[in-house]
Amino acid sequence: MNILQLDSAITGEASVSRKLTADIVARLKAQDPAASVTYRDLNEGVAAIDNAWFHAVRVVPENPSPEQQQLIDRADAYLQEVQDADVLVIGLPVYNFNLPAQLKNWLDQIARAGVTFRYTEAGPEGLLKGKRAIVGYASAGTPIGSEIDHASGYLRHMLAFLGITDVTFVAADRLAMDRDAGLARAQDVIDQIAA
């Protein structure tokens, strides 16, 4: 089993979502000690897609400039990590009712027409099938699945759009109201995860 662990919290060691992803990976590794883990901290910087990215990655010039090649290489590295993974363990800290910009930027980098999704007569088809995602959701006050939670629904939709429909959320939500209860709810879900 190949695991891709993605963190995006800006709070470092104090991050609950980072603790959740670490605990989820530890649980998977305990069940499958031979599992490999690729780790990427999105907080180290994921460029937003822009005009330069479009002309390098989507248009694919025949003779890319050094700057374009750098954009292509970075986007392809993100993509290869996802393609190689059997399981994605994604940290989802909720900031201002939504996912962090760096996680959105990563999704934009890997959402590539003809590679991770395609349009058919029946509508869009995700091409990253057969993968599983486990999401460590952490929020101070936003209940998961509530009308003010714009993070979990969007991430679930994007993963499904890319073909990843086996998605489990491990939620430590409403931590500002009752931290211990939120962490306990998350631990109960982690304890039931099977590799």
Side-chain angles (χ1 to χ4, degrees):
M1 173 173 50
N2 296 321
I3 301 168
L4 174 59
Q5 180 181 352
L6 300 167
D7 282 321
S8 59
I10 62 173
T11 51
E13 295 296 316
S15 166
V16 172
S17 67
R18 287 176 186 271
K19 179 184 180 330
L20 293 176
T21 61
D23 290 351
I24 293 164
V25 169
R27 170 80 178 178
L28 294 171
K29 289 275 294 172
Q31 295 176 7
D32 183 356
S36 66
V37 180
T38 299
Y39 180 77
R40 185 170 289 273
D41 187 347
L42 303 178
N43 191 48
E44 293 176 357
V46 179
I49 61 172
D50 59 10
N51 186 264
W53 182 92
F54 175 79
H55 285 285
V57 178
R58 294 294 295 277
V59 175
V60 192
E62 188 173 317
N63 295 302
S65 70
E67 294 80 14
Q68 288 176 320
Q69 191 61 55
Q70 186 177 21
L71 293 172
I72 294 166
D73 291 346
R74 186 179 312 125
D76 286 350
Y78 296 137
L79 180 61
Q80 192 64 57
E81 288 172 349
V82 175
Q83 289 173 325
D84 291 345
D86 301 303
V87 180
L88 285 71
V89 177
I90 303 171
L92 176 56
V94 177
Y95 299 148
N96 302 315
F97 313 105
N98 214 328
L99 63 159
Q102 53 271 27
L103 182 54
K104 170 68 165 68
N105 291 347
W106 176 82
L107 287 164
D108 287 342
Q109 290 274 348
I110 66 165
R112 310 231 325 243
V115 180
T116 56
F117 71 92
R118 66 181 175 184
Y119 291 107
T120 70
E121 290 181 8
E125 176 188 6
L127 301 176
L128 295 175
K129 296 179 176 141
K131 299 180 186 301
R132 175 183 182 197
I134 306 171
V135 180
Y137 176 102
S139 74
T142 304
I144 190 168
S146 69
E147 65 182 17
I148 61 172
D149 169 21
H150 301 289
S152 66
Y154 174 77
L155 183 57
R156 183 186 298 276
H157 173 80
M158 280 302 300
L159 291 171
F161 180 76
L162 301 176
I164 304 170
T165 56
D166 182 356
V167 181
T168 302
F169 280 86
V170 176
D173 58 350
R174 297 167 285 168
L175 294 171
M177 290 74 166
D178 191 340
R179 184 177 181 86
D180 291 341
L183 294 173
R185 284 191 301 272
Q187 189 59 53
D188 287 346
V189 177
I190 291 171
D191 290 344
Q192 297 173 39
I193 290 173

